[in-house]
Amino acid sequence: QVQVVESGGGLVQAGGSLRLSCRAFGLTSDDYVMGWFRQAPGKEREGVVCIAWSGISQYYADLVKGRFTISRDNYKNTLYLHMNSLQPEDTAMYYCAFDYTHRCSGNHRDFGIWGQGTQVTVSA
């Protein structure tokens, strides 16, 4: 059974940077997507980024384009989220998501496997 484990959250001042990591364990196929979602208190979980491991599909939310990028370590089945120019409105719990599919999505209902989440707090 696939599990994903996040790390890397924390407290940062506005304009700062953080890198989140998500490692997947127990994979049985290379045909999958991994993504990052975030959820602020009182708000719905929203998609941030997604990548298909085959490379044929990616998704970036408009709010993070130009500030957030993704990279990956294929050997470690790890997805990294590089967050730059962070703003207080980026404050949220960030969740890694996984599913066996070849198409990315920004809809959390399309993902079946989730990590525990890691808190990102950006102070003004």
Side-chain angles (χ1 to χ4, degrees):
Q1 185 172 354
V2 175
Q3 291 184 319
V4 292
V5 179
E6 308 105 329
S7 63
L11 173 64
V12 65
Q13 290 186 329
S17 299
L18 281 175
R19 187 186 78 166
L20 306 183
S21 301
C22 174
R23 185 168 186 176
F25 298 89
L27 304 184
T28 59
S29 168
D30 289 335
D31 192 12
Y32 62 88
V33 298
M34 289 179 71
W36 286 97
F37 288 74
R38 67 187 185 185
Q39 189 167 17
K43 294 188 177 181
E44 188 172 354
R45 191 168 296 190
E46 62 177 358
V48 178
V49 296
C50 173
I51 184 170
W53 227 244
S54 63
I56 64 173
S57 178
Q58 287 192 21
Y59 167 86
Y60 280 84
D62 289 341
L63 287 175
V64 304
K65 285 180 180 177
R67 300 190 299 127
F68 293 9
T69 59
I70 52 177
S71 63
R72 65 192 197 190
D73 182 327
N74 292 338
Y75 180 74
K76 295 181 179 179
N77 296 319
T78 299
L79 177 67
Y80 300 99
L81 177 63
H82 305 269
M83 305 186 293
N84 300 309
S85 301
L86 283 162
Q87 299 301 316
E89 51 266 34
D90 294 314
T91 295
M93 185 71 79
Y94 283 69
Y95 296 91
C96 181
F98 175 100
D99 215 301
Y100 281 117
T101 181
H102 57 272
R103 188 179 68 179
C104 270
S105 169
N107 189 331
H108 64 87
R109 297 174 182 83
D110 293 331
F111 290 81
I113 296 170
W114 294 86
Q116 294 293 320
T118 184
Q119 179 68 38
V120 171
T121 303
V122 185
S123 62

